[in-house]
Amino acid sequence: MSSLISIVSHSGFGHTEKLAQAVAQGSGGALLAIDQHGELSPEGWAQLAASRAIVFGSPTYMGNVSWQFKRFADASAGVWSQQGWKDKLAAGFTNSAGINGDKLATLHAMFTLSQQHGMLWMGTGMPPANAKTSTRDDINYLASFAGLMAATPSDASVDELALGDLLTARAFGERVAALVRRYN
Ligand SMILES: Cc1cc2nc3c(=O)[nH]c(=O)nc-3n(C[C@H](O)[C@H](O)[C@H](O)COP(=O)(O)O)c2cc1C
């Protein structure tokens, strides 16, 4: 059964995939994987066409989306020519090793993609956890407004994503679901 919300993402080594799963838990959305060749199945494209909201996800590689995500983005030009995603809701998330690591550039790439398609972008809408008393387990400790950010040390396993980032991803998914209900 098709979902109103789709989370379409690429992950090279599984960390961003774990984040995508948390967004799916929060939103009730369907997970769609861009594979290691940058391809999405025909069923995946059909799911996106039927969705009310599309959440884009990619690791940050060299300060941008992965080439696999970019291949998917370029392939969406076919949808663009039919204005197939116009007025759908959109959001984005990324994960990288550095606390900063130029993640904002990745979110901007996703934002630009959404605007080329005429979509409506949703930020986190979350207050930052930036007080002296804040901890890494807090929601939005990375203080991102444009989209969901997570930081996973370069030598951390998939099972070592920060609890705070997973909670943030879940809350981000809940926000996406709430906005879909509001603007449906
Ligand atoms: C080719 C490559 C480029 C990377 N570039 C960056 C970067 O620009 N900034 C950063 O903070 N981390 C960078 N990283 C680290 C990854 O973002 C990090 O390992 C992330 O958890 C990988 O997610 P994944 O397991 O979903 O692929 C890079 C890793 C690779 C393999």
Side-chain angles (χ1 to χ4, degrees):
M1 195 173 80
S2 75
S3 171
L4 285 175
I5 301 168
S6 292
I7 299 113
V8 60
S9 61
H10 168 252
S11 177
F13 306 95
H15 303 87
T16 309
E17 184 182 355
K18 186 87 179 269
L19 207 58
Q21 289 166 358
V23 175
Q25 282 168 5
S27 65
L31 284 168
L32 300 173
I34 299 165
D35 71 17
Q36 300 309 328
H37 304 288
E39 288 179 359
L40 181 67
S41 68
E43 294 77 19
W45 286 103
Q47 166 69 41
L48 293 179
S51 297
R52 183 73 186 88
I54 300 175
V55 184
F56 301 113
S58 169
T60 293
Y61 289 166
M62 302 312 289
N64 213 312
V65 295
S66 64
W67 71 258
Q68 289 91 343
F69 185 91
K70 182 65 167 83
R71 185 173 181 192
F72 157 78
D74 288 1
S76 77
V79 178
W80 172 84
S81 67
Q82 303 297 316
Q83 294 291 283
W85 292 350
K86 191 165 191 287
D87 296 340
K88 291 184 190 295
L89 295 169
F93 63 93
T94 188
N95 168 61
S96 85
I99 289 286
N100 182 316
D102 288 332
K103 278 191 264 282
L104 188 56
T106 303
L107 292 179
H108 276 178
M110 294 170 179
F111 167 74
T112 301
L113 173 66
S114 78
Q115 298 310 287
Q116 291 239 344
H117 278 284
M119 302 169 84
L120 304 168
W121 185 257
M122 301 175 281
T124 61
M126 295 174 188
N130 60 3
K132 281 200 290 185
T133 51
S134 300
T135 77
R136 192 71 181 85
D137 287 345
D138 290 341
I139 288 183
N140 205 19
Y141 183 79
L142 297 194
S144 180
F145 301 100
L148 171 67
M149 289 186 182
T152 309
S154 58
D155 54 349
S157 75
V158 169
D159 296 326
E160 292 178 298
L161 259 72
L163 173 65
D165 288 351
L166 292 174
L167 293 174
T168 307
R170 200 182 169 103
F172 184 61
E174 288 168 0
R175 170 170 163 79
V176 168
L179 290 174
V180 167
R181 282 194 297 274
R182 185 159 165 184
Y183 294 108
N184 209 14

